[in-house]
Amino acid sequence: MDVSPIIISLKTATVSMIITFLLGLFIARFIVNIKYEKVKIILDGILTLPLVLPPTVMGFFLLIVFGINRPIGKMLLDFLGVKIVFSWSATVIASIVISFPLMYRSARGAFEQVDQNLIMAARTLGMSERKIFWRVIMPMALPGVTSGGILAFARGLGEFGATAMIAGNIANKTRTLPLAIYSEVSAGNMDTALNYVLIVTVISFVVVVLTNYFTIKERKYLK
């Protein structure tokens, strides 16, 4: 069994989770602080869109953005010598785009559950907004935020459609576990495909257990 899809998937999911975690954290906080509900609803809809659109549609949009004949993709290639499509970077970008809504919504939900009285009390004591975020909001929201990060990792690990569109299915380069499973089944190698499936299943089970653990922990914090 070729272990490169396992390594590529784990590396892709880890890098995308780190980026998604930071983006989701601060964008969720930004959305929560918006006072105009209509603006909040529109922005929330845009940020959540990758969660409801088919991954192949998001992959198509990514091709439109990063294709070598498109403005951004051409600029990256001409000025930086960076080609996104059919590269490992493309697998990371696809994972970030698809998993971001899970992290964003988890973080937003966790922030909205924080007791506003604690925030007001911190402001009364003269704490800056930055200190309030890190010393008051984040400790209270941490279980929910962590749960979102774990879900983002799992979603990044299992991404197929957008990855196939923008990164392709190149052995030892962009072939992640889902793509490897598809390739092995297409080639009739059911035993190898089963091995990959078992690996994904075990990782997914661990993710579900960890998510449930942090969900329970979050409920205890809110009591």
Side-chain angles (χ1 to χ4, degrees), residues 177-199:
L177 275 170
L179 290 169
I181 293 170
Y182 175 80
S183 298
E184 296 300 337
V185 171
S186 299
N189 302 324
M190 300 303 290
D191 290 338
T192 304
L194 178 60
N195 290 333
Y196 288 137
V197 167
L198 291 175
I199 292 170

Side-chain angles (χ1 to χ4, degrees), residues 156-177:
L157 187 73
E159 165 50 31
F160 176 82
T163 302
M165 291 285 287
I166 189 174
N169 186 9
I170 307 171
N172 300 312
K173 187 175 181 181
T174 66
R175 180 172 293 174
T176 58
L177 275 170

Side-chain angles (χ1 to χ4, degrees), residues 45-204:
I46 294 172
L47 294 169
T48 309
L49 204 56
L51 190 64
V52 294
L53 284 176
T56 49
V57 173
M58 294 309 304
F60 178 80
F61 285 144
L62 290 175
L63 279 175
I64 294 296
V65 173
F66 293 107
I68 58 175
N69 294 320
R70 301 294 174 174
I72 295 178
K74 185 174 176 59
M75 181 183 68
L76 290 173
L77 184 60
D78 291 343
F79 292 98
L80 300 177
V82 176
K83 180 185 176 184
I84 299 296
V85 293
F86 304 121
S87 68
W88 177 75
S89 298
T91 68
V92 175
I93 292 172
S95 293
I96 290 171
V97 170
I98 298 300
S99 63
F100 173 80
L102 290 172
M103 179 61 212
Y104 158 71
R105 295 198 70 84
S106 296
R108 179 182 171 182
F111 291 152
E112 290 176 340
Q113 292 295 323
V114 175
D115 190 346
Q116 292 298 310
N117 292 324
L118 295 175
I119 297 175
M120 294 302 295
R123 287 173 179 162
T124 302
L125 293 172
M127 292 179 67
S128 66
E129 291 299 317
R130 179 176 294 181
K131 285 185 177 180
I132 290 173
F133 178 72
W134 290 111
R135 296 186 181 182
V136 178
I137 297 174
M138 273 302 293
M140 296 292 293
L142 190 58
V145 169
T146 304
S147 178
I150 295 170
L151 286 174
F153 175 84
R155 188 65 188 87
L157 187 73
E159 165 50 31
F160 176 82
T163 302
M165 291 285 287
I166 189 174
N169 186 9
I170 307 171
N172 300 312
K173 187 175 181 181
T174 66
R175 180 172 293 174
T176 58
L177 275 170
L179 290 169
I181 293 170
Y182 175 80
S183 298
E184 296 300 337
V185 171
S186 299
N189 302 324
M190 300 303 290
D191 290 338
T192 304
L194 178 60
N195 290 333
Y196 288 137
V197 167
L198 291 175
I199 292 170
V200 173
T201 302
V202 170
I203 296 174
S204 299

